[in-house]
Amino acid sequence: RNERMTRRKIAGCVLGFAGVVVINLLGNSLDMGFKLIGEGFVLIAQLSYGISTVLINLFSRKVSPVVLSGTQFTMGGIVLMLIGSGMGGHLENVTTGGVVIIFYLAMVSAVAYTLWSVLLAWNDVSKVAIFGFVNPLCGVILSALILGEVKQAFNVGSLAALILVCAGIYIVNCKENKKE
């Protein structure tokens, strides 16, 4: 039974990866090159996302997700300000509108991250983390609608890639029937 479940999960991963290959082939190339600026930062971002998801799940059961998120945003903001300042960055042309937008975006991020933390506190990581797939999906749809990149987003190849990735995610996460 475990062997069958392992095969199914591997098949789901292969199916999802096939979707990634399809979307790369649509760009008329399957560049296997790896650059730190580009693929490296995407890999670092995904690794950080995975680690933070697991850590949030662990710590948000002991500490209020609101306090946890507030602490993370505050500490992260201080570290980023220190790095920016240390590299010669400075603020100029600060306007009221700009400050309002920054606070608005900070509030949206804080609320979304806190809700994410609450979800992770009371659910298995595997049940919640798959919804992270919605971020790039919405990004593609919004860039198609707002930036006019309709040809790249809404075509048969992109739809096929999306179906393959979704099928892979579903197969990896679906429960096996307990027929014996």
Side-chain angles (χ1 to χ4, degrees):
R1 180 176 173 213
N2 284 338
E3 186 177 322
R4 187 171 61 220
M5 191 176 352
T6 301
R7 277 193 224 142
R8 189 188 76 229
K9 289 188 185 260
I10 290 171
C13 290
V14 169
L15 199 60
F17 185 70
V20 174
V21 170
V22 166
I23 206 72
N24 278 307
L25 288 175
L26 290 174
N28 297 323
S29 71
L30 187 56
D31 184 10
M32 297 306 269
F34 186 88
K35 296 179 184 136
L36 179 60
I37 298 178
E39 295 88 358
F41 285 138
V42 170
L43 185 62
I44 291 168
Q46 290 305 307
L47 184 62
S48 300
Y49 169 71
I51 291 169
S52 70
T53 299
V54 171
L55 291 175
I56 289 168
N57 182 266
L58 290 172
F59 290 112
S60 60
R61 293 181 186 195
K62 299 173 187 160
V63 178
S64 164
V66 175
V67 172
L68 188 62
S69 296
T71 304
Q72 288 174 315
F73 271 84
T74 303
M75 288 172 48
I78 290 169
V79 168
L80 288 174
M81 284 185 357
L82 290 173
I83 290 171
S85 178
M87 294 178 77
H90 59 280
L91 294 174
E92 54 185 58
N93 301 329
V94 177
T95 64
T96 305
V99 171
V100 168
I101 288 173
I102 291 293
F103 277 108
Y104 168 73
L105 292 173
M107 182 63 72
V108 169
S109 295
V111 169
Y113 199 77
T114 300
L115 290 173
W116 187 250
S117 296
V118 170
L119 280 173
L120 285 169
W122 305 111
N123 296 286
D124 293 336
V125 171
S126 63
K127 300 291 182 221
V128 178
I130 61 170
F131 292 107
F133 172 69
V134 174
N135 291 336
L137 181 63
C138 289
V140 169
I141 291 169
L142 287 174
S143 66
L145 298 175
I146 295 172
L147 301 175
E149 298 173 347
V150 177
K151 261 197 246 180
Q152 296 90 339
F154 301 127
N155 61 48
V156 175
S158 295
L159 181 60
L162 179 63
I163 289 170
L164 287 169
V165 171
C166 289
I169 290 171
Y170 176 77
I171 289 169
V172 167
N173 287 289
C174 73
K175 291 194 183 227
E176 190 170 300
N177 292 336
K178 300 213 177 196
K179 294 178 186 176
E180 298 192 33

